[in-house]
Amino acid sequence: MVSRSLPEAPRPYDLLPEVPAGDSLRPYDLRCEHLGTPLGVGAPVPRLSWRLASDRRGDAQEAYRIRVHARGALVWDSGWVEGQDVSADYGGAPLASFTRYTWRVETRPGEAAESWFETGVLHRDEWVAAWIGHDPETEPPFEPPTDDREPRSARTASLPAPRYFRRVLDLPPATAVRIACSARGLYELRVNGVRAGDGELTPGWTDYRHRVPYQVYDVTNLAGDGPVCVGAILADGWWSGSLGWDARQQAQRYGRRPQLLVQIVAEHENGSRTVVGTDGRWRESTGPLRYADLLMGEWYDARLEQPGWDLPGFGDTSWAPAGVVDTAHDVLVPSVAEPVRVTQDLVPVDVRRPGDGRTIVDLGQNIAGRVRLVLRGAPEGARVTLRHGEALDDDGGLYTANLRSAEATDHYVAAGAAVETFEPRFTVHGFRYVEVSGHADVEVLGRVLHSDTPVAGEFSCSDDMVRRLMGNIRWSQRGNFVSVPTDCPQRDERLGWTADAQVFLPTACYNADVAAFFTGWLADLRCAQTAEGAVPDVVPHVMTERHGTPGWGDAATVVPWHLYRVYGDERVLRDSLPSMRRWVDHVERHNPGLIWRDRTGSHYGDWLQAGVRTSREVMATAYFALSAELTSKAAAVVGDAAARAHYAELRSRIGEAFVRAFVSADGRVTGGTQTGYLLALAHGLVPAPLVPAAVGHLVADLEERGRRLTTGFAGVGLLGPVLSAHGHHDLAYSLLHDDRYPSWGYSIKRGATTIWERWDGWTEEGGFGPVAMNSFNHYALGSVGAWLYSGVAGIGQEEGSAGFRRPIIRPLPGGRLRWASAAYETPLGRLAGRWEVDGGTLRLDVRVPPGALATVHVPTTDPASVRESGTPLSGEAAGGALVCRVASGRYAFTAAWER
Ligand code: BGC
């Protein structure tokens, strides 16, 4: 039986927290490096930030003052800083390692709020811990008991047993105990019999060649007085387990065996510290975990448990000394993002027993995660098998063909107790259905796992299908943000495909605060860039031969620029500008004629487009232009005038080359596909006089196809924004509401609970799509989500605004919708809009955060009819709306709306 603490009552995951109410200005949601109250901060000059709330109209911060204390002493007082900044870089005395800094921000006018952060290891020479692992010299290799019913398939035969490590320490009485822990592999840390922290799949996945993250835990309460037992379980994970589609042996790109590193820092009453690290005095053994693999699953034999192994009194004489395998600390980096956590539990919606001993459980939702299994009355040695799948086949059995070589199967061998509980810890599956065999009296709970990025946005509307679409998008985001942004959570892939990440990023940012999550991923992108400047197709980089792909490599420019726009943190551009430049220079070097023809790497085109072939050169060159433009803009923000001018000039020459090569005098774009037009229009590559004609050709293509889309990954997110920007709201809504193939509604009509990888994941004619590539949980086609927020509900920010300083509220009443609403937690505070059409009246409720100056477009058929809280409003009539500017606060507009 795995002893794990019981899950807390499920918390509603998708809800935005309430903003503090009241008529005075209040800072709230204080953060350090974009995280709440982080332990183990490694930045020498961390950035502190806060949001603001006030119910008073026009409220804005005039000045702020930050004071930071450590060990009772003031270490930094910013003094009063005039202005509206809602972030500041720590400016006090150099930070000390493993120290709690309490900080307080006060605003004028307004109040004060307090928070804290703690540092980790700030100087490399402070590490004393060595990397330890199983030492094959000191112990004969583990021989599992022979049992011909052992659940070892050809694929799992090579999986070694995870190792258990322990050491008992006699620490002098301590006032605070912290543990910094990392693994090349996956670890679970335990202190005196209790798991430390609630992070899963720690330390997470990064480019281990360059960066291995460590986490810090506050274990003061677990350590108590007296001897402290520190234990850890160590498994292969991304380091040495199956990865991508390679068989395990080839997949081991980082190392053959996992390694563990633990450093304990105990602080005593008089301020002195005891620091102890992993070394050859630790002991190791195998245990009930017979194997654990992210793709294959886990095998746990409860008969092999060693009760008390993680407690001080345990007799470990039969355990072997651990081997010291490395003493280098140069790759250790502080963990910069929220960990993966279990964020929700799902009670099955259906349990069927077909009568052959199997139980088929339906969680009602496709997730990334695992199950908790409760067994009653299983005899000793009974083997229970859990298989996972995203769908059922025609006979009601589990459909697993699309998992390819991922077995996604867990095994539990019972100890024979009346009630036993099993929950795997070092694997994750993408599934909705679970098949349990080997014992009938079972209960299953679904456990949802993903990077616990805070919820940042809410969208809703009057249409069930559109609401479900946003629900599916959010679930695909949760299912694929598992330490890194992946393409899919179920099959033997689960890689950080760069195009998937960049096309989905705008949607991701609306749904969740992904600032910290993508900061780490970008660090991996930068260190994986080739000497030439090519960006790999997947980050972390694991497929050495694939890089330099149009639309994929451009994540190097699109991601930092978008993060800057959303979060207003210019450091991401400072860190990324060299990499952005190297990418653009690389493409230019290979394409001196400025049309991206050269196959510098792979080319996937408009991936998974429906029935058309967008010109690859059009797509590639449009991305080249975009990347040059974003690099120029980034250089401007960073203050590099020469680079700004250089890339602006390059962008304009690419634009000219694009027009010469691909845009004809009647506004046609080579290839004539929707994605071709969308890319050209969205990225300003059609000369202004030809824009109406180009839009006309795009619209004609859609109309000729009976208002059906043909877009793949590169084009799909642009449909809504481009059509609505050019006045074709009706067409945009037709696509949104469509449920014929290919459309979002098509999958929803078939019961999809996540976004499918392909438009034809399942069809009436063909049933399941090609098994070689048919994930039911892939977010790229869900990149329409950003338009639901910024188009349909209408909350966004102006071009040129960063960090939502200048928000726009420009709703788009139309389609089948009677109302739509969105709320978003900007860096300044809450921005929200809700419109509703009732009879001949449109009502628009708006909320603007303190310090922002918002442009509101009140949609109306009669600009003279517009009122705000009953008072007539003046403004400029434009594009079917009355446009006005409002400062912070809540506003209630009404306007005539005749359709
Ligand atoms: C992945 C994608 C990825 C693509 C590139 C697929 O196998 O699942 O999402 O972008 O390959 O071709």
Side-chain angles (χ1 to χ4, degrees):
M1 285 140 286
V2 185
S3 50
R4 308 197 97 191
S5 44
L6 282 170
E8 287 171 22
R11 57 179 166 126
Y13 185 79
D14 268 354
L15 298 181
L16 269 174
E18 283 295 315
V19 171
D23 260 345
S24 59
L25 194 69
R26 281 168 321 279
Y28 72 99
D29 199 15
L30 274 53
R31 285 169 178 263
C32 171
E33 292 289 313
H34 300 284
L35 298 169
T37 44
L39 292 166
V41 169
V45 180
R47 179 159 292 191
L48 308 174
S49 62
W50 57 97
R51 294 187 158 93
L52 293 168
S54 169
D55 290 332
R56 201 171 50 211
R57 280 193 181 178
D59 228 356
Q61 171 189 297
E62 286 158 18
Y64 71 83
R65 179 178 186 182
I66 295 175
R67 268 171 285 192
V68 184
H69 284 83
R71 301 174 188 286
L74 179 72
V75 292
W76 184 44
D77 182 349
S78 70
W80 282 102
V81 180
E82 302 294 318
Q84 301 207 342
D85 279 348
V86 285
S87 70
D89 291 342
Y90 171 77
L95 298 174
S97 296
F98 290 104
T99 303
R100 177 167 297 208
Y101 291 85
T102 312
W103 64 285
R104 180 184 163 85
V105 60
E106 205 178 328
T107 61
R108 204 175 59 209
E111 299 178 4
E114 207 172 272
S115 187
W116 57 264
F117 66 89
E118 266 190 37
T119 47
V121 181
L122 295 175
H123 309 286
R124 196 160 286 160
D125 60 6
E126 291 170 327
W127 285 109
V128 303
W131 294 96
I132 60 169
H134 171 54
D135 183 353
E137 300 292 311
T138 61
E139 198 205 26
F142 174 65
E143 291 294 344
T146 15
D147 173 352
D148 50 11
R149 294 179 315 139
E150 273 177 15
R152 295 220 140 192
S153 70
R155 287 183 207 132
T156 52
S158 66
L159 301 177
R163 299 271 152 178
Y164 292 63
F165 294 82
R166 57 175 264 120
R167 174 144 196 240
V168 178
L169 303 168
D170 273 310
L171 297 173
T175 49
V177 186
R178 300 288 181 267
I179 296 186
C181 188
S182 182
R184 288 163 161 159
L186 297 178
Y187 73 82
E188 179 178 303
L189 178 69
R190 303 184 71 85
V191 177
N192 287 342
V194 179
R195 188 163 78 118
D198 57 1
E200 303 283 348
L201 307 179
T202 44
W205 188 16
T206 51
D207 192 330
Y208 296 138
R209 298 170 306 167
H210 305 278
R211 308 171 61 241
V212 180
Y214 69 89
Q215 282 79 31
V216 174
Y217 300 92
D218 178 352
V219 297
T220 314
N221 292 338
L222 303 182
D225 297 327
V228 181
C229 178
V230 183
I233 316 174
L234 182 65
D236 285 325
W238 294 283
W239 171 265
S240 46
S242 313
L243 196 58
W245 47 71
D246 288 335
R248 183 169 173 273
Q249 305 305 341
Q250 288 87 55
Q252 295 183 313
R253 291 180 188 276
Y254 303 112
R256 292 268 171 232
R257 287 170 181 280
Q259 306 168 10
L260 172 74
L261 181 137
V262 181
Q263 183 151 320
I264 301 118
V265 180
E267 187 162 306
H268 313 295
E269 190 82 61
N270 62 2
S272 68
R273 283 177 178 174
T274 309
V275 182
V276 195
T278 28
D279 58 20
R281 285 172 292 182
W282 286 58
R283 300 185 75 79
E284 63 123 342
S285 166
T286 53
L289 253 181
R290 305 286 295 279
Y291 68 65
D293 185 88
L294 288 166
L295 295 172
M296 299 307 158
E298 210 167 283
W299 174 20
Y300 189 92
D301 188 337
R303 297 170 303 179
L304 302 178
E305 286 180 352
Q306 304 190 43
W309 74 271
D310 47 6
L311 290 170
F314 180 78
D316 58 14
T317 44
S318 67
W319 287 38
V324 171
V325 286
D326 191 6
T327 52
H329 302 117
D330 48 342
V331 291
L332 280 167
V333 293
S335 190
V336 293
E338 299 84 1
V340 173
R341 291 196 176 99
V342 172
T343 62
Q344 199 176 347
D345 289 325
L346 296 179
V347 176
V349 295
D350 188 38
V351 178
R352 283 189 308 110
R353 300 182 207 278
D356 52 4
R358 284 179 305 150
T359 304
I360 298 196
V361 175
D362 178 2
L363 296 181
Q365 175 60 54
N366 199 16
I367 63 167
R370 58 193 186 213
V371 299
R372 171 171 298 179
L373 176 75
V374 178
L375 295 175
R376 290 200 173 74
E380 182 186 338
R383 204 176 77 227
V384 182
T385 301
L386 292 157
R387 296 171 62 233
H388 303 76
E390 291 183 288
L392 296 180
D393 60 25
D394 290 344
D395 306 324
L398 213 60
Y399 177 77
T400 56
N402 67 333
L403 306 187
R404 304 197 304 220
S405 73
E407 286 190 349
T409 301
D410 302 323
H411 304 276
Y412 180 79
V413 184
V419 181
E420 297 182 39
T421 306
F422 166 59
E423 182 177 338
R425 32 159 77 82
F426 297 125
T427 193
V428 58
H429 311 299
F431 69 105
R432 167 176 171 170
Y433 301 93
V434 193
E435 178 203 88
V436 189
S437 58
H439 189 68
D441 193 350
V442 293
E443 226 177 275
V444 162
L445 184 70
R447 310 215 74 202
V448 181
L449 242 85
H450 52 89
S451 289
D452 196 7
T453 53
V455 171
E458 277 172 19
F459 168 88
S460 194
C461 69
S462 56
D463 185 79
D464 289 347
M465 200 197 76
V466 178
R467 273 205 313 274
R468 182 74 233 187
L469 172 60
M470 182 55 92
N472 291 2
I473 292 169
R474 293 175 85 105
W475 274 107
S476 279
Q477 177 165 343
R478 294 171 70 182
N480 281 295
F481 280 9
V482 180
S483 188
V484 304
T486 62
D487 57 336
C488 57
Q490 73 299 83
R491 68 179 177 225
D492 56 356
E493 190 153 359
R494 314 180 189 188
L495 300 175
W497 286 95
T498 41
D500 305 40
Q502 65 91 355
V503 300
F504 188 67
L505 182 65
T507 301
C509 290
Y510 272 114
N511 284 331
D513 180 344
V514 296
F517 179 78
F518 271 101
T519 301
W521 187 74
L522 272 181
D524 287 332
L525 183 147
R526 292 192 296 264
C527 57
Q529 218 166 343
T530 67
E532 267 210 295
V535 175
D537 292 1
V538 298
V539 170
H541 188 26
V542 290
M543 299 184 308
T544 38
E545 71 287 5
R546 296 212 208 179
H547 49 68
T549 307
W552 272 252
D554 298 285
T557 60
V558 175
V559 174
W561 177 254
H562 194 76
L563 292 179
Y564 164 69
R565 281 266 284 147
V566 172
Y567 301 110
D569 184 343
E570 78 299 339
R571 295 175 306 169
V572 70
L573 297 182
R574 234 185 279 144
D575 292 344
S576 291
L577 185 60
S579 135
M580 299 168 89
R581 298 182 62 159
R582 287 192 332 110
W583 166 246
V584 175
D585 295 350
H586 167 75
V587 177
E588 186 188 3
R589 211 175 311 116
H590 284 265
N591 302 280
L594 304 184
I595 297 301
W596 189 346
R597 294 212 160 86
D598 177 71
R599 295 289 298 268
T600 42
S602 317
H603 200 326
Y604 309 117
D606 185 18
W607 190 242
L608 296 174
Q609 54 201 322
V612 295
R613 267 184 78 84
T614 289
S615 155
R616 293 187 162 197
E617 292 176 359
V618 167
M619 175 184 147
T621 308
Y623 265 108
F624 185 19
L626 174 65
S627 279
E629 179 173 337
L630 299 183
T631 304
S632 165
K633 286 179 164 173
V637 173
V638 167
D640 183 338
R644 186 205 60 73
H646 172 78
Y647 292 97
E649 192 265 341
L650 176 62
R651 160 63 182 80
S652 108
R653 285 191 294 119
I654 300 169
E656 286 158 18
F658 185 95
V659 173
R660 268 197 310 275
F662 304 127
V663 186
S664 59
D666 62 355
R668 282 180 202 278
V669 172
T670 299
T673 63
Q674 295 170 17
T675 292
Y677 285 110
L678 292 167
L679 286 168
L681 288 162
H683 303 317
L685 292 162
V686 178
L690 296 181
V691 165
V695 171
H697 297 306
L698 168 64
V699 168
D701 182 83
L702 282 156
E703 295 290 0
E704 277 157 26
R705 294 172 187 277
R707 300 197 152 199
R708 276 179 229 222
L709 56 79
T710 60
T711 47
F713 284 20
V716 67
L718 303 175
L719 279 165
V722 170
L723 287 171
S724 51
H726 294 283
H728 294 279
H729 314 323
D730 271 10
L731 199 44
Y733 271 113
S734 293
L735 298 174
L736 182 63
H737 293 316
D738 197 3
D739 62 7
R740 304 160 302 166
Y741 170 79
S743 68
W744 297 284
Y746 186 73
S747 66
I748 292 171
K749 216 162 69 177
R750 269 138 206 93
T753 60
T754 37
I755 300 294
W756 293 355
E757 173 175 28
R758 45 199 314 140
W759 297 115
D760 59 355
W762 190 94
T763 57
E764 277 100 352
E765 309 75 50
F768 287 110
V771 292
M773 221 188 68
N774 194 22
S775 143
F776 291 104
N777 199 354
H778 235 77
Y779 49 56
L781 296 181
S783 45
V784 60
W787 179 70
L788 296 180
Y789 281 98
S790 67
V792 171
I795 59 168
Q797 62 178 327
E798 283 180 37
E799 266 310 305
S801 153
F804 282 83
R805 283 269 161 207
R806 283 183 287 137
I808 297 193
I809 294 145
R810 182 168 41 201
L812 205 65
R816 294 200 296 253
L817 303 187
R818 218 172 17 80
W819 61 267
S821 69
Y824 180 65
E825 196 71 335
T826 75
L828 298 172
R830 188 68 49 90
L831 174 69
R834 182 185 191 282
W835 61 263
E836 176 156 11
V837 174
D838 191 2
T841 306
L842 177 135
R843 196 189 148 87
L844 172 64
D845 295 319
V846 162
R847 176 177 192 161
V848 178
L853 186 60
T855 309
V856 184
H857 296 243
V858 187
T860 182
T861 41
D862 173 12
S865 69
V866 177
R867 305 273 181 283
E868 194 286 306
S869 302
T871 312
L873 200 73
S874 59
E876 184 195 329
L882 189 78
V883 184
C884 60
R885 296 204 146 219
V886 298
S888 68
R890 293 168 192 261
Y891 300 86
F893 300 93
T894 52
W897 184 253
E898 304 294 342
R899 279 222 272 177

